[in-house]
Amino acid sequence: MLPAVAAASPALSHLPRHQHLGRRFHLRCHRLLPATPAKASCGARRRLLAGAFAAGDGPSGQDVDYSTGTTSSGSAYLGLFVRLLGLDNDARDREHAVCTLYQYSLGGRKSIDEIMQFPGCIVLIISLLKSESTRAREAAAGLLRNITSVQIYRKMAIESGAMEEVMSLLCKSTISPEMMEQCLCTIWNFSIDENWRYKILRSDVLTKIVRYLDEEDIKVKEAAGGIISNLALSPSNHGALVEAGVIPKLVHLLQTKEDDYKIIRKEARSSLILLARDDHYHSLIMEEGLVRVPLVGSAAYKAFKPLPHSWPTFPDGSEIQRSSRPSKYGATELLLGLSVNEKDTKPDKAKINAMIGRSNQQFLARVGAIELDDEGNEQSGSEKSDLYTILPWVDGVARLVLILGLEDISAIKKAARAIGDASINEHMRTSFKEAGAVKPLLELLKHDDVSVREAAAYALEKLSVSATICQKIKADGGLELLINTVKDPNTPVKQLEKMIYVLSQMFDMGISMVAASYAHEDVTSAEKSTQGDTATGNSVISHTFVNQEMASEMILDFDAISRLTKVLKEASPSLQAKVCCVLEHLAASEQHATAMTATCTGSVIEAILEIGVIHGTRADSEDFDNLTSVVTEEVSQAVSAAARLLTKLLNFDIFTRSINSEKFTSLLRRMLKSSFPLQSKDWLAACLVKLESRAGSSGDHGVCSVDMEITIYQTIPRLVEQMLTSFSFENKRSAVMELNKIISSGVLEYTRAMADSGGIFPLVKMLEEGDEDALEAALAILYNLSMDPENHPAIIAAGAVPLLKRIVVAEGPHGTKALKLLRTLPV
């Protein structure tokens, strides 16, 4: 964005443009005469003044013709004024010369070209920025501002050190508003060229520029906003701008409704839209109460059709309760506030905001003012199909939901994507629910266009993080729709992944597989029966639970389970975890477990565990990098989910007979010994115990060794981590007590596992912090550990010796044990 050339002096604004130059030359050249002129130079100054007068009011009357670009003879005296800028001239002469040249530069590009025809004048102008005269500095800054507004002269000014001098002026503690404006506008000119923006970021002036957004002078605000708007055009600058705290200030300026702020609002909006292209910065902008909304074109809104007159409803589809005291003249329907504000029917704040936003956006759509045809044209670097605006969240949420109901496929797709991007917290997800976004998004899953279906699935995936959204999806009949989407072999992989994610979220939150329609009908029947006969009502209620179980089986059939098993086999580790979650929920039914057995789900689980063994072994190697760590974390989550699914399926004999129990036991034991996270080992240990109990029901072969391995590789590390990370003393105390029971069994491998897990240091700390029972348990464990000389350095390094001496000197009940432990240490 290019700032305007400095405005002409108010004293000359009443004159016609062709008279400005002559009057300015009269005034400025008259001021060139010093207060006490020397006799030798007096005649020269008079001749100069007479020549300037002749140039301004000569008999030919030639002036600058701004319409044709021709110049008057007055321009011939520019060389005299440029020479007066020289360092060898009197300070007052230099001041008058730069002021005159500044006024002349206001004539536009032609005048600036005439000034810049003199080599070296830009250096003399920059030197005057250090002048002791305030007028000279202001005029030099204004002249430099006008010169740098021309592209071909900006590089010349940069090479002459203009940017550094202007920045040094801004860093001064005392600077007038006029000077501040001129310097900021000069930097604004420099920021137009991408090659020079890095200089602004590398200097200390960026913090000051951001601070100038709070200045009272609107011109200063506009200049600072223009610089930030240009800097935001380069994505590499976004981090520095955000760190400087620009987002809250831009949001405040955008929300200012005063007429004088029209330009700064445009600049603030442009900057925020550019910053919002980064997902993290988009979240920061949304936390300030703004939402990014796509521009879809005014033509798209012509398809908007208001609903016919009926009893009003909330945006989410729920009906406004009718008043208990309706007016016979219809005032209740016209003035809903009379009934809505009653105590029993008063909506919450979220519904009120949804109603306000819907009313505002529907009104703008009806009158054709919701989007202007030229809106978004200022967004440089964007494709025409990728334009956005920024709105307050109340209006932004309502507009996005409104766009979902249009006919334009591109507009619908953009709105669905924007809803997903905006669903960053519970507040926004609830706002979309109250605005009625869930039902149209579910309907879009049946749209003919594949890209629209994928965009709707993306939005539902982001919204389903909220439990209330999951309940709303079920209430709107979305559960059956999601299952049908999964069963459909033509569903694209991307959409299928998102649908599985939504299903896993719903099941993780305890939402039943019961179809909403069945539950609603059965509960209604139960209520009707209860009104008549209690016994009949009880029988119907019992019948309700039977129907619920039947509904669960009817929703998910063999085709759906077969498709899920196929996805589980081919998916990425993160998606495998989600599919396992869905199948785990289904594994509660014997019919579903039979279907999983028929689709060879056991062999797929075995393959996941084998991959887990490979990554667990790789995690133990020395060449373990960060990228491998991320992959192993995803694999561990998939392995944990597969272990939970396996544990659930082991409840059914038909599945247990179909798998190789020894192979699964071997895989689980190998992963238990690897460097998998402890959270994963919890599920592996539980699955291993379950598998051993099922496979070893005829005998106890192998059970002892499995229990030992679980204790070594899962229980002891978990308890040590509890001692290290827990903030609760009770948790630490219980961990020490349990560890004492394990170590006191006398198994050498347990003491080694205790030392290898880093348990010595937290045990020594318990000597200082623990109560009587915890102190006794810690001393007992440390004594067992001290039996291995390899543990002595760690015990001493942990600071056990002075603590043990203190216990011995105290002659308490634990003094004897402390003394025995001291005697085993080489001290």
Side-chain angles (χ1 to χ4, degrees), residues 97 102 112 117 164 210 265 288 320 336 351 400 428 463 555 590 684 733 817:
Y102 166 57
I112 295 172
Q117 68 181 330
E164 290 77 6
V210 175
R265 281 198 300 269
E288 297 292 334
I320 296 176
L336 285 176
K351 289 186 180 294
L400 289 173
M428 292 304 301
L463 288 170
I555 287 179
E590 184 175 0
L684 295 175
R733 183 180 181 277
K817 289 185 178 180

Side-chain angles (χ1 to χ4, degrees), residues 262-569:
K262 183 177 180 180
I263 295 177
I264 189 63
R265 281 198 300 269
K266 184 177 180 180
E267 294 167 347
R269 179 179 288 106
S270 174
S271 301
L272 289 171
I273 290 172
L274 292 169
L275 292 173
R277 293 179 182 177
D278 185 281
D279 292 339
H280 177 62
Y281 303 147
H282 181 213
S283 300
L284 296 178
I285 292 171
M286 291 188 61
E287 289 176 0
E288 297 292 334
L290 298 180
V291 175
R292 186 177 62 173
V293 178
L295 295 175
V296 299
S298 58
Y301 291 98
K302 294 179 180 179
F304 171 71
K305 298 177 181 178
L307 294 175
H309 175 70
S310 60
W311 183 259
T313 60
F314 288 110
D316 64 348
S318 57
E319 186 176 291
I320 296 176
Q321 184 176 345
R322 298 175 186 267
S323 174
S324 58
R325 301 186 302 276
S327 169
K328 64 180 181 178
Y329 301 107
T332 303
E333 296 187 17
L334 291 175
L335 304 175
L336 285 176
L338 298 176
S339 60
V340 169
N341 287 329
E342 290 184 0
K343 184 177 181 180
D344 296 336
T345 60
K346 186 175 182 179
D348 56 20
K349 189 174 181 181
K351 289 186 180 294
I352 293 174
N353 288 328
M355 294 176 68
I356 293 173
R358 180 182 65 174
S359 300
N360 291 342
Q361 297 306 308
Q362 288 186 358
F363 171 77
L364 292 173
R366 286 197 299 269
V367 301
I370 192 168
E371 190 175 309
L372 303 178
D373 291 331
D374 60 345
E375 192 171 355
N377 291 339
E378 72 280 0
Q379 296 182 32
S380 302
S382 298
E383 297 293 336
K384 201 68 180 175
S385 60
D386 189 28
L387 300 179
Y388 292 88
T389 187
I390 294 284
L391 294 176
W393 70 267
V394 173
D395 294 319
V397 168
R399 185 176 295 190
L400 289 173
V401 175
L402 187 149
I403 296 174
L404 291 179
L406 302 179
E407 297 177 356
D408 189 294
I409 292 178
S410 176
I412 296 172
K413 183 171 60 176
K414 291 178 184 177
R417 285 278 176 187
I419 289 174
D421 294 338
S423 301
I424 62 170
N425 53 41
E426 189 67 17
H427 165 69
M428 292 304 301
R429 290 188 285 267
T430 302
S431 300
F432 282 116
K433 168 186 168 293
E434 296 297 342
V438 175
K439 192 167 185 177
L441 286 172
L442 290 172
E443 293 295 328
L444 290 175
L445 293 178
K446 299 181 288 186
H447 200 278
D448 296 335
D449 190 271
V450 176
S451 60
V452 172
R453 295 200 300 268
E454 290 184 0
Y458 170 73
L460 288 170
E461 176 191 11
K462 298 299 183 180
L463 288 170
S464 64
V465 177
S466 169
T468 58
I469 298 293
C470 291
Q471 294 288 353
K472 180 64 175 173
I473 291 174
K474 180 181 177 181
D476 289 340
L479 192 56
E480 187 172 359
L481 180 60
L482 294 175
I483 297 299
N484 292 334
T485 304
V486 171
K487 290 194 296 185
D488 187 0
N490 297 322
T491 302
V493 176
K494 289 184 178 180
Q495 182 183 352
L496 183 63
E497 292 179 0
K498 293 173 174 56
M499 294 299 93
I500 292 174
Y501 181 88
V502 175
L503 285 172
S504 67
Q505 287 290 113
M506 296 176 70
F507 297 153
D508 282 343
M509 296 173 183
I511 295 179
S512 174
M513 282 289 297
V514 180
S517 58
Y518 283 91
H520 177 72
E521 292 174 1
D522 292 334
V523 172
T524 303
S525 301
E527 290 177 351
K528 291 181 178 179
S529 301
T530 305
Q531 294 174 359
D533 181 65
T534 305
T536 306
N538 291 336
S539 64
V540 174
I541 291 174
S542 301
H543 180 64
T544 298
F545 293 103
V546 175
N547 280 353
Q548 288 179 353
E549 184 64 28
M550 292 175 60
S552 174
E553 296 175 0
M554 291 176 65
I555 287 179
L556 216 66
D557 54 13
F558 180 84
D559 293 337
I561 293 177
S562 177
R563 184 77 191 280
L564 286 172
T565 304
K566 183 180 179 181
V567 174
L568 180 63
K569 183 179 180 180

Side-chain angles (χ1 to χ4, degrees), residues 63-71 110:
D63 296 294
V64 176
D65 188 347
Y66 293 95
S67 61
T68 63
T70 60
T71 60
K110 185 68 175 178

